[in-house]
């Protein structure tokens, strides 16, 4: 809806009304069309201000409407009609002007914003382009170079930056509607031709072709395989070279292609998944809306290795006072140098004049006695963690929340050695912890709703996408990674090279293939876990079947050769030296693989990229179904958010579970059956019961799985 009011004097005020962000739904668009007509017809009105209700101008087109038929007046003619009005129209921008919201403002003759407002054209993040004239008007207003940056990244900018770029005419700290009203009163009667952006030429630099070529290369590198960034550059090419009307035709064609693409559906699904996971619920019935969170102001981090340091910075950036504890003096000395520098850098990146939190360093565990929450981030070793938790429970005051940054160990076992097991949860950060968006909040059988709510809210304060997950080995993310890594190793045994596997995965859209990623994380991490599980090490026979299933000793042998990845300068690839970043193919690896195959009587075969993708991705997806079946994740959105925000799953493929739906559950089932038939000794390839059940009921859309699973559980089908 849009409300019309005539202010004393001659200004018409149009207020968009569609909480919470005044998205341009069919009703709002109809309201705008009607009220603009009314203002136009009213002879007493000499100027118009458009604003949004409840401190938000407009969050853009109504994304929920994209799933159905488009009803109501279309955006493009609506904005043209506003631009054509012969009375000055100003947008009074408060809160946000995003996507179609900013495009609406660009159709107005003037734009006045509050200093705290955020503006942007984030359509690219939803698999679209600014298809309501934004791709043609913005470059005409601020020039091609700046428009390319804003439109291809979709970043939100401050009012100050928008003013500098020329998007805004005025920024105010006062009431923005009052300012806009005053503004239009002042300019009433002045000629409007130069204010109609569609009539202006597009300012381009002399080397426009090279600028556009470079932009195209950049977007292709940045988001491999994504259609929208490429289409955004194409739309801007049209703005630079064609008259407005033809540019609009190009914009429309590109939008239609994107709008009907699977990628747009995937990205819009990813937008909503991110919000769905915030509305967490546990099998016990506790949920985000019935569990109170505590507000934390003092916290401690135990262990100042890479993870601990990042966690200290992430906490301090939210304004929390942090006690950073490390019992090894050398590590403490290093951390107390490194952490303040990290904090300063990160604060600078976020344009904070001074980092808000206070950090104190200590080598004494007793110093955590006054904090409200502790995050243990010591080495991934259960006996060490148990020792720390026993100590914490004796030194912390009653009621302190005790969290572990374990990446997969049993939270319940840790809880069992404390006096208040209900106050123990996992907070699994991803490296670097102050940068990566994902946080898995792990609840054990005894974790209280309050502890989960507090950890979830703390994650949110730190700017993380927090996902509540159940307590099982590897939780959600790492549990699914296991079959993925396993298949990658089997593919090497069967004839693939690390490069072939990585290229197939990178072509799919991962920023890094599995072997490059393993080299980066360090190959010794998995090696140690396999040793602890009794799968390798002294006394374990070097066969390809262990603990009753197929096993590849390849990664163990690479480690035994002293190749631990980037840190040793050698792993699945070679690097310039220890700590080197650029992976190059290593003849050693090829000779090693040939010798390995010969030793085990394996005949190398040529493996197509399709098989690589199927084996790696479908094994991972299958584990996702097992996780849903076991109620370790509340719904497919949780798994998808974890993979998009923590594991580099290409956002334009939505997430593993969404991708399964797009490929077709029947097809995933059939291919898993095929591969399991060929590899009966690989249990991870055995299709999950849930997948079978979903196929049996006709492969319903991913958005309905949560409900389906709950019903199946009630009827004991899972
Ligand atoms: C920054 C925000 C606005 C606010 O953030 P925050 O305060 O943290 O709150 P949130 O939790 O994020 O959101 C609160 C709830 O609001 C919902 N929400 C937010 N934005 C929208 C929206 N735009 N539409 C619908 N709902 C929205 C959100 O989901 C929350 O609800 P819930 O908790 O999930 O229930 C932040 O929300 C934000 O960033 N929002 C998104 C901003 C954005 O990306 N805007 C751009 C939207 S796309 C757009 O504008 C495109 C315009 C041009 C193209 C128009 C295309 C029209 C179709 C034409 C068809 C042509 C093809 C023809 C096909 C053919 O012929 O075949």
């Amino acid at each position: 809806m849009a409300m019309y009011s005539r202010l004393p004097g001659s200004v018409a005020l149009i207020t968009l009304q569609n909480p919470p962000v005044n998205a341009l739904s069919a009703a709002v668009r109809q309201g705008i069309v009607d009220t603009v007509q009314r203002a136009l017809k009213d002879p007493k009105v000499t100027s118009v201000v458009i604003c949004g209700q409840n401190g938000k101008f407009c969050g853009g087109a109504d994304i929920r409407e994209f799933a159905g038929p488009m009803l109501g007046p279309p955006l493009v003619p609506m904005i043209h009609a506003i631009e054509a009005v012969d009375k000055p129209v100003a947008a009074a921008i408060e809160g946000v002007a995003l996507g179609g919201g900013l495009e609406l403002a660009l159709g107005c003759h003037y734009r006045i914003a509050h200093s705290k407002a955020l503006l942007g054209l984030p359509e690219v993040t939803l698999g679209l382009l600014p298809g309501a004239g934004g791709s043609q008007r913005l470059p005409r207003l601020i020039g091609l170079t700046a428009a390319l940056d804003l439109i291809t990244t979709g970043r939100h900018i401050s009012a100050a930056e928008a003013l500098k770029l020329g998007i805004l005419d005025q920024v105010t700290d006062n009431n923005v509607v009052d300012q806009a009203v005053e503004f239009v009163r002042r300019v009433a009667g002045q000629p409007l031709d130069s204010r109609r952006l569609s009539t202006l030429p597009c300012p381009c630099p002399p080397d426009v072709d090279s600028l556009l070529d470079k932009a195209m290369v950049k977007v292709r590198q940045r988001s491999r395989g994504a259609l929208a960034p490429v289409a955004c550059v194409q739309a801007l090419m049209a703005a630079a070279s064609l008259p407005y009307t033809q540019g609009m035709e190009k914009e429309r064609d590109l939008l239609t292609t994107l709008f009907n693409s699977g990628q747009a559906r995937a990205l819009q699904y990813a937008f909503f998944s991110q919000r769905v996971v915030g509305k967490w619920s546990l099998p016990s019935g506790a949920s985000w809306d019935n569990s109170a969170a505590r507000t934390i102001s003092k916290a401690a981090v135990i262990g100042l290795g890479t993870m601990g340091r990042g966690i200290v910075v992430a906490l301090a950036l939210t304004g929390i006072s942090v006690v950073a504890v490390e019992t090894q003096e050398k590590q403490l000395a290093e951390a107390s140098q490194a952490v303040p520098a990290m904090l300063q850098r990160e604060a600078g990146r976020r344009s904070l004049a001074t980092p808000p939190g206070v950090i104190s360093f200590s080598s004494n565990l007793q110093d955590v006695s006054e904090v409200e929450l502790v995050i243990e981030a010591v080495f991934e070793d259960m006996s060490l963690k148990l020792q720390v938790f026993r100590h914490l429970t004796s030194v912390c005051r009653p009621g302190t929340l005790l969290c572990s940054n374990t990446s997969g160990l049993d939270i319940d076992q840790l809880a069992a050695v404390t006096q208040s097991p209900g106050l123990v949860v996992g907070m699994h950060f991803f490296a670097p912890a102050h940068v990566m968006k994902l946080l898995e909040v792990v609840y054990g059988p005894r974790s209280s709703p309050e502890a989960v709510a507090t950890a979830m809210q703390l994650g949110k304060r730190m700017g993380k996408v927090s996902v509540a997950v159940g307590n099982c080995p590897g939780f959600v993310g790492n549990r699914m990674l296991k079959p993925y890594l396993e298949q990658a190793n089997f593919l090497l045994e069967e004839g693939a090279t690390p490069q072939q596997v990585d290229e197939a995965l990178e072509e799919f859209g991962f920023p890094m293939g599995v072997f490059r990623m393993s080299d980066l994380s360090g190959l010794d991490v998995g090696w140690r876990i396999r040793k602890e599980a009794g799968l390798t090490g002294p006394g374990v026979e070097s066969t390809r079947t262990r603990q009753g299933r197929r096993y590849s000793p390849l990664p163990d042998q690479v480690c035994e050769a002293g190749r631990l990845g980037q840190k040793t300068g050698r792993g699945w690839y070679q690097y310039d030296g220890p700590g080197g970043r650029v992976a190059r193919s290593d003849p050693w690896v090829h000779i090693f693989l040939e010798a390995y195959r010969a030793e085990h009587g394996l005949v190398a075969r040529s493996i197509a990229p399709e098989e690589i993708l199927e084996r790696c991705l479908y094994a991972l997806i299958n584990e996702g179904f097992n996780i849903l079946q076991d109620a370790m994740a509340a719904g497919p959105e949780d798994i998808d958010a974890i993979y998009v925000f923590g594991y580099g799953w290409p956002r334009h493929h939505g997430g593993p579970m969404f991708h399964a739906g797009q490929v077709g559950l029947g097809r995933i089932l059939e291919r898993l059956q095929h591969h399991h038939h060929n590899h009966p000794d690989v249990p991870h390839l055995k299709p999950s019961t849930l997948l079978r059940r979903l196929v049996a009921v006709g492969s319903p859309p991913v958005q309905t799985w949560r409900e389906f699973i709950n019903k199946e559980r009630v009827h004991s089908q899972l």
Side-chain angles (χ1 to χ4, degrees):
M1 261 188 60
M3 189 176 74
Y4 183 86
S5 49
R6 189 145 67 72
L7 303 180
S10 52
V11 180
L13 181 67
I14 295 173
T15 309
L16 313 185
Q17 294 180 319
N18 184 14
V21 299
N22 299 319
L24 296 164
S25 62
V28 172
R29 297 196 304 276
Q30 188 62 59
I32 295 174
V33 168
D34 295 344
T35 49
V36 168
Q37 272 300 315
R38 195 165 157 191
L40 200 57
K41 283 190 190 141
D42 187 340
K44 293 208 182 84
V45 167
T46 57
S47 44
V48 183
V49 168
I50 303 181
C51 67
Q53 191 187 37
N54 293 336
K56 291 210 168 74
F57 179 68
C58 177
D62 192 331
I63 308 168
R64 289 189 200 277
E65 283 187 353
F66 293 171
M70 293 307 283
L71 305 169
L75 272 177
V76 169
M78 181 193 92
I79 295 174
H80 274 143
I82 293 171
E83 194 185 52
V85 171
D86 57 5
K87 304 172 183 185
V89 183
I93 300 170
E94 241 184 315
V96 287
L98 296 173
L102 180 55
E103 294 179 283
L104 166 66
L106 292 173
C108 297
H109 306 122
Y110 300 97
R111 287 158 292 280
I112 325 292
H114 190 270
S115 53
K116 295 219 169 91
L118 289 176
L119 294 87
L121 292 175
E123 286 88 339
V124 68
T125 64
L126 297 167
L128 302 174
L129 55 75
S135 76
Q136 305 302 301
R137 282 197 181 88
L138 188 69
R140 284 175 163 78
L141 178 63
I142 63 170
L144 187 67
T145 314
L148 265 169
D149 167 43
L150 290 192
I151 291 177
T152 58
T153 61
R155 69 189 178 90
H156 297 182
I157 58 171
S158 65
E161 186 176 352
L163 182 69
K164 210 157 136 198
L165 286 171
I167 297 175
L168 296 173
D169 297 289
Q170 192 180 311
V171 173
T172 178
D173 289 327
N174 301 324
N175 182 306
V176 72
V177 175
D178 291 350
Q179 293 292 314
V181 168
E182 199 183 306
F183 190 99
V184 287
R185 279 198 181 120
R186 220 171 36 240
V187 297
Q190 290 181 12
L192 287 172
D193 285 351
S194 66
R195 309 298 312 178
R196 295 191 173 103
L197 300 183
S198 67
T199 65
L200 305 181
C202 174
C204 294
D207 57 343
V208 58
D209 290 341
S210 120
L211 174 75
L212 288 163
D213 288 348
K214 281 191 193 140
M216 193 59 100
V217 171
K218 196 166 162 185
V219 298
R220 288 207 158 110
Q221 271 170 356
R222 198 167 47 203
S223 29
R224 216 158 161 174
L227 300 173
V230 172
C232 286
V233 178
Q234 288 168 335
L236 285 154
M237 277 176 181
S241 57
L242 298 174
Y244 174 78
T245 319
Q246 282 169 257
M248 284 301 288
E249 279 166 20
K250 183 74 185 171
E251 183 190 91
R252 167 88 197 174
D253 290 348
L254 291 166
L255 178 66
T256 305
T257 307
L258 292 178
F259 196 79
N260 293 315
S261 71
Q263 290 197 4
R265 280 191 289 281
L267 285 157
Q268 287 152 27
Y269 164 86
F271 172 84
F272 287 115
S273 315
Q274 188 178 341
R275 280 143 187 92
V276 166
V277 299
K279 297 178 180 167
W280 56 273
S281 61
L282 309 186
S284 64
S287 65
W288 65 283
D289 56 353
N290 64 19
S291 311
R294 288 193 212 161
T295 304
I296 302 297
S297 57
K298 279 187 274 174
V301 176
I302 314 292
L304 298 179
T306 312
M307 288 309 292
R309 292 177 193 189
I311 298 170
V312 171
V313 172
L315 288 168
L317 283 166
T318 64
I320 291 174
S321 300
V322 190
V323 182
V325 181
E326 171 58 64
T327 50
Q328 291 182 29
E329 289 297 340
K330 185 166 171 282
Q331 179 104 304
L332 178 66
E334 281 170 13
S336 48
Q337 294 287 311
V339 170
M342 281 164 71
L343 181 61
Q344 200 66 47
R345 251 194 328 271
E346 200 52 31
R349 222 173 54 82
R350 299 180 189 197
S351 312
L352 301 170
T354 44
V358 177
I359 304 172
S360 59
F361 292 90
S362 168
S363 60
N364 189 351
L365 264 176
Q366 297 295 125
D367 287 346
V368 306
S369 59
E370 291 306 309
V371 304
E372 297 145 329
L373 176 142
V374 182
I375 302 177
E376 162 279 305
V378 301
F379 199 64
E380 191 72 351
D381 173 335
M382 186 47 111
S383 52
L384 178 61
K385 285 185 190 282
L386 284 171
Q387 203 181 316
V388 171
F389 269 73
R390 278 193 198 99
H391 202 94
L392 286 174
T393 201
S394 68
V395 296
C396 292
R397 59 181 184 191
T400 305
L401 260 82
L402 302 181
C403 312
S404 173
N405 175 49
T406 171
S407 56
L409 297 177
D410 185 357
I411 293 299
D412 197 35
Q413 216 180 319
L414 295 174
V417 299
T418 68
Q419 283 157 18
S420 308
L423 295 178
V424 176
V425 287
M427 287 184 83
H428 178 205
F429 289 82
F430 289 74
H434 57 302
V435 176
M436 289 290 285
K437 290 277 282 179
L438 179 65
L439 176 69
E440 281 185 325
V441 171
V442 191
Y443 57 88
R446 288 183 276 185
S447 304
S448 66
E450 185 190 26
V452 176
T454 305
M456 290 293 285
Q457 198 204 53
L458 183 57
K460 194 171 174 189
R461 271 175 74 192
M462 288 188 275
K464 310 278 178 213
V465 174
S466 311
V467 186
V469 298
N471 181 35
C472 57
F475 312 135
V476 169
N478 287 343
R479 176 169 161 184
M480 288 169 70
L481 205 59
K482 199 173 161 192
Y484 171 78
L485 292 169
E486 185 183 80
Q487 284 302 317
N489 291 327
F490 294 160
L491 286 160
L492 296 191
E493 291 187 335
E494 292 167 37
T497 64
Q499 290 91 316
Q500 284 167 344
V501 175
D502 282 350
E503 272 161 26
L505 294 166
E506 287 163 19
E507 198 51 44
F508 178 74
F510 279 99
M512 235 183 250
V514 57
F515 291 109
R516 264 187 255 277
M517 185 193 74
S518 302
D519 272 359
L520 173 68
S521 324
L523 302 184
D524 49 333
V525 181
W527 192 27
R528 199 176 52 245
I529 294 171
R530 293 190 296 276
K531 279 190 213 160
E532 274 169 23
L535 283 162
T536 187
V540 180
E541 213 185 322
S542 183
T543 55
R544 291 179 46 249
T545 300
R546 298 192 194 172
Q547 298 180 356
R549 51 171 73 185
R550 181 173 169 185
Y551 179 84
S552 171
L554 272 173
D556 302 331
Q557 292 180 7
V558 170
C559 290
E560 282 155 17
R563 305 174 67 104
L564 303 183
Q566 285 187 4
K567 60 180 154 192
T568 56
R570 298 269 186 278
W572 293 109
Y573 293 91
Q574 57 178 323
Y575 300 85
D576 284 340
R581 290 271 180 268
V582 181
R584 277 179 290 112
S585 169
D586 189 342
W588 183 92
V589 173
H590 300 282
I591 295 166
F592 160 73
L593 286 175
E594 273 167 31
Y596 174 91
R597 291 182 197 120
E599 183 194 336
H600 292 282
L602 296 163
V603 180
R605 64 186 173 91
S606 155
I607 302 179
E610 294 73 34
E611 180 178 344
I612 295 174
L613 284 185
E614 274 187 9
R615 298 256 307 266
C616 293
L617 301 188
Y618 294 3
L620 176 144
I621 286 169
N622 194 38
E623 195 58 23
F625 282 112
N626 286 329
I627 284 170
L628 289 174
Q629 191 176 304
D630 298 348
M632 292 294 126
E637 296 87 354
D638 301 67
I639 294 179
D640 287 337
I642 287 172
Y643 261 79
V644 165
F645 290 102
Y647 292 84
W649 183 279
R651 199 175 159 93
H652 60 268
H653 287 303
M657 308 321 286
F658 179 86
H659 182 66
Q662 281 213 319
V663 171
L665 299 187
R667 163 100 188 144
I668 303 266
L669 176 59
E670 184 261 307
R671 296 314 292 160
L672 279 169
Q673 280 168 332
H674 167 84
H675 294 302
H676 190 229
H677 176 79
N678 289 344
H679 306 278
D681 51 353
V682 181
H684 281 128
L685 290 173
K686 183 173 179 225
S688 99
T689 306
L690 173 60
L691 172 61
R692 288 177 188 280
R693 289 288 305 145
L694 283 163
V695 173
V697 297
S699 303
V702 63
Q703 290 83 354
T704 65
W705 295 0
R706 192 180 289 250
E707 201 185 329
F708 174 80
I709 294 165
N710 290 338
K711 277 196 192 137
E712 290 280 288
R713 200 161 286 127
V714 170
H715 297 113
S716 308
Q717 297 285 349
L718 290 178

